[in-house]
Amino acid sequence: MDIKEKLEQLAEEVQKNMVNPDVDLDVCFDESCGIPYLIVRYVVEEHSVHEKRIDIDKEYWERDVKDLANFVAFQIEQFLEEIDSVEYGGE
């Protein structure tokens, strides 16, 4: 399996496991991207948009798709916790 196929599977896996409907994911894994990455977009109460880029560094390319999906899910979880802390004062 080449890296593009693996990243396509990763995108499918992450989308499938997303439980928060307010989170949008954009995936860039073609040659124009350089390092493959995901953009996570989260809209808080329809007025505040937060974005985070998660790079999929070369060191992760050899990992299993499930491991990569767990890595991405952890990054998204941390991102959402940061937003909650800023938006709601950590409530």
Side-chain angles (χ1 to χ4, degrees):
M1 172 186 322
D2 70 10
I3 188 64
K4 185 173 180 175
E5 289 171 343
K6 184 177 266 191
L7 291 171
E8 286 172 351
Q9 285 185 353
L10 171 62
E12 288 173 17
E13 188 74 24
V14 171
Q15 295 277 3
K16 182 173 66 175
N17 294 330
M18 286 301 301
V19 293
N20 191 329
D22 297 325
V23 174
D24 291 324
L25 289 176
D26 291 331
V27 182
C28 185
F29 50 77
D30 61 30
E31 290 77 27
S32 67
C33 301
I35 294 174
Y37 63 87
L38 294 101
I39 297 287
V40 182
R41 219 171 274 103
Y42 180 63
V43 180
V44 179
E45 297 174 4
E46 298 183 15
H47 70 277
S48 184
V49 178
H50 299 269
E51 242 182 44
K52 177 179 177 127
R53 176 179 164 148
I54 300 172
D55 289 336
I56 309 298
D57 293 322
K58 203 167 194 158
E59 66 194 66
Y60 294 106
W61 294 1
E62 297 302 316
R63 291 191 180 182
D64 181 73
V65 172
K66 296 262 188 219
D67 288 343
L68 280 170
N70 288 336
F71 165 74
V72 170
F74 179 73
Q75 295 291 319
I76 292 170
E77 198 174 296
Q78 284 190 319
F79 173 59
L80 295 177
E81 287 174 7
E82 289 170 19
I83 293 168
D84 284 348
S85 179
V86 170
E87 291 282 332
Y88 305 111
E91 292 178 19

